[in-house]
Amino acid sequence: MSNYRGCMEVNFFGTLSITKAFLPLLRQAKGRIVTISSPAGDQPFPCLAAYGASKAALNLFINTLRHELEPWGVRVSTILPSSYKTGQSSNHAYWERQHKHLLQQLAPGLLDEYGDDYIAETKELFQNHARTANEDFSPVLDAIVRALLSPQPLVRYYAGPGVGLMYFIYSYFPFSVSDKFLQKLFVKKKLMPRALRKQSGLGVSLYHHNNNNNNNNNEEKLDK
């Protein structure tokens, strides 16, 4: 729960507080609000529930604000960047601390159901994704400049390679396709949770056991 509250405090309540503080000046000057959000606020990225939920709250708040401030002449835009490499995301020590903290916070029963190998694989996948992220922030900076200076700013700016395609697939394809696309694009899990692996192993054992019994019964019938 602390992860969910922390994400909401930074991504939603932090933006809300700053925006409300400047609203009187923005209305008076017919200014602009430019917010950096994330595609994770619109699409169900695996393993990003807390972060995505906070960005979803932010997206809805900004969109509602856009309607409410239109009579005042205030333009509101949202920047939706692709994955970019930051100092924190590429910091090996950061991921080790996150991994250690998660293991300490998980209930023993939950850790047993998922397995420490499943959690370690998830950490490695996040690190690999961060290492391959884009280092050139110019698409984001260009989008911010256009949102601030354009005579007719867009409601949304897709900043970076692949974001427009991602939204096209999510908007027009069946969920089965868009879900597979996100799984291939982001965290490519190979391991199943430990409890499901045990169930799968039990199912295989029962299958072989039943097959052996059927074979024995068939042999007995042939003998008769």
Side-chain angles (χ1 to χ4, degrees):
M1 292 304 296
S2 63
N3 287 335
Y4 282 86
R5 291 191 175 98
C7 284
M8 289 297 292
E9 283 293 338
V10 174
N11 294 329
F12 177 67
F13 287 111
T15 306
L16 173 62
S17 298
I18 292 174
T19 305
K20 280 180 65 65
F22 284 95
L23 272 181
L25 292 175
L26 288 166
R27 287 196 300 267
Q28 182 181 346
K30 296 185 178 181
R32 295 188 179 184
I33 297 174
V34 179
T35 304
I36 298 181
S37 186
S38 168
D42 295 318
Q43 305 184 37
F45 282 81
C47 303
L48 285 184
Y51 175 79
S54 66
K55 289 296 187 179
L58 176 63
N59 288 348
L60 187 58
F61 165 66
I62 292 298
N63 279 330
T64 305
L65 204 62
R66 177 170 54 85
H67 288 292
E68 295 174 348
L69 293 178
E70 184 179 4
W72 296 88
V74 177
R75 299 298 189 91
V76 180
S77 298
T78 302
I79 313 294
L80 297 161
S82 60
S83 178
Y84 287 92
K85 184 178 291 186
T86 63
Q88 180 169 274
S89 66
S90 56
N91 187 331
H92 178 74
Y94 165 78
W95 289 109
E96 291 300 324
R97 287 196 304 271
Q98 290 291 100
H99 181 232
K100 184 178 179 181
H101 177 72
L102 179 60
L103 291 177
Q104 290 172 344
Q105 295 297 316
L106 278 180
L110 193 59
L111 178 58
D112 185 60
E113 286 188 348
Y114 275 92
D116 49 5
D117 55 346
Y118 179 91
I119 296 171
E121 183 200 41
T122 305
K123 182 201 71 170
E124 291 298 325
L125 290 171
F126 267 92
Q127 282 185 279
N128 290 336
H129 184 78
R131 277 194 291 266
T132 59
N134 198 347
E135 296 183 7
D136 179 16
F137 285 85
S138 57
V140 179
L141 300 176
D142 291 343
I144 294 172
V145 171
R146 291 199 302 272
L148 289 172
L149 302 182
S150 173
Q152 296 294 329
L154 300 177
V155 172
R156 285 188 159 193
Y157 289 87
Y158 302 118
V163 184
L165 174 62
M166 187 192 310
Y167 272 90
F168 178 82
I169 292 174
Y170 181 72
S171 301
Y172 295 105
F173 281 70
F175 282 121
S176 57
V177 175
S178 61
D179 286 351
K180 288 290 184 184
F181 177 76
L182 287 181
Q183 290 165 6
K184 296 291 185 182
L185 178 71
F186 189 52
V187 178
K188 306 176 186 70
K189 293 292 294 179
K190 294 180 180 179
L191 283 177
M192 294 283 285
R194 181 184 291 163
L196 296 179
R197 279 177 274 160
K198 288 180 180 179
Q199 290 178 13
S200 177
L202 178 62
V204 171
S205 298
L206 288 173
Y207 172 78
H208 287 305
H209 177 71
N210 290 335
N211 269 359
N212 289 335
N213 285 342
N214 289 335
N215 289 336
N216 291 336
N217 290 336
N218 290 334
E219 289 175 3
E220 290 178 4
K221 288 177 182 178
L222 288 174
D223 290 340
K224 290 176 180 179

